[in-house]
Amino acid sequence: MVDDKKKVNQVDDPGKGYELPLLLFAGFRTLIDRLHAELARQGHPDVRPAYGFAMQAIGPDGATASEVGRRLGVSKQAAGKTVDRLIALGYAARTDDPADARRKLVRLTPHGIDALRRSAAVFDELRAEWAAALGADRLADLESSLRTVVPPDAFRLDAAGWLGGS
């Protein structure tokens, strides 16, 4: 019979493999939550993390709803719902595709571009806070170390795919 106290100590023992993904996720979540709180203060209270991913998927040249879905790793229907919400909130608009009259493109509006620009500035501020807390050299080493272990193709927007979405 295993002592319950020993089990708790094994779980609480730092350096266990399970802790790394939890710490990385908690760091990510902390940054995203702080970003959205600041965006709300700066006039973008309706932006949600999924909308940020979708606006990145739309990109500077626009995209069809199907392309947004593929880039996010979700169904065309799920992408369409998110696009509809972005349009309703004024972050995106549907326009004719100049290359194909049968297609509609989703493009970011000035409001959407403003949200992305503000996001970039807030992320720079948050990184500066981390540099102040950890030290600039330690943060640079952390980023360099993560680049070493993260595959080059890992910068994708399809989080739904690996979180069990469609």
Side-chain angles (χ1 to χ4, degrees), residues 45-81:
D46 297 317
V47 174
R48 302 291 177 261
Y51 302 164
F53 284 115
M55 287 190 283
Q56 291 290 335
I58 292 167
D61 299 324
T64 65
S66 294
E67 289 168 335
V68 172
R70 278 193 299 279
R71 292 173 186 171
L72 294 174
V74 300
S75 69
K76 179 181 174 182
Q77 293 78 11
K81 281 184 174 183

Side-chain angles (χ1 to χ4, degrees), residues 20-70:
L20 177 61
L22 294 175
L23 286 168
L24 289 169
F25 181 72
F28 171 79
R29 179 71 192 257
T30 299
L31 291 169
I32 297 301
D33 288 349
R34 298 263 324 272
L35 165 73
H36 287 278
E38 185 57 31
L39 284 176
R41 279 191 284 280
Q42 292 185 24
H44 294 281
D46 297 317
V47 174
R48 302 291 177 261
Y51 302 164
F53 284 115
M55 287 190 283
Q56 291 290 335
I58 292 167
D61 299 324
T64 65
S66 294
E67 289 168 335
V68 172
R70 278 193 299 279

Side-chain angles (χ1 to χ4, degrees), residues 8-21:
V8 170
N9 288 338
Q10 288 172 346
V11 171
D12 292 338
D13 189 18
K16 297 292 185 189
Y18 68 87
E19 192 173 33
L20 177 61

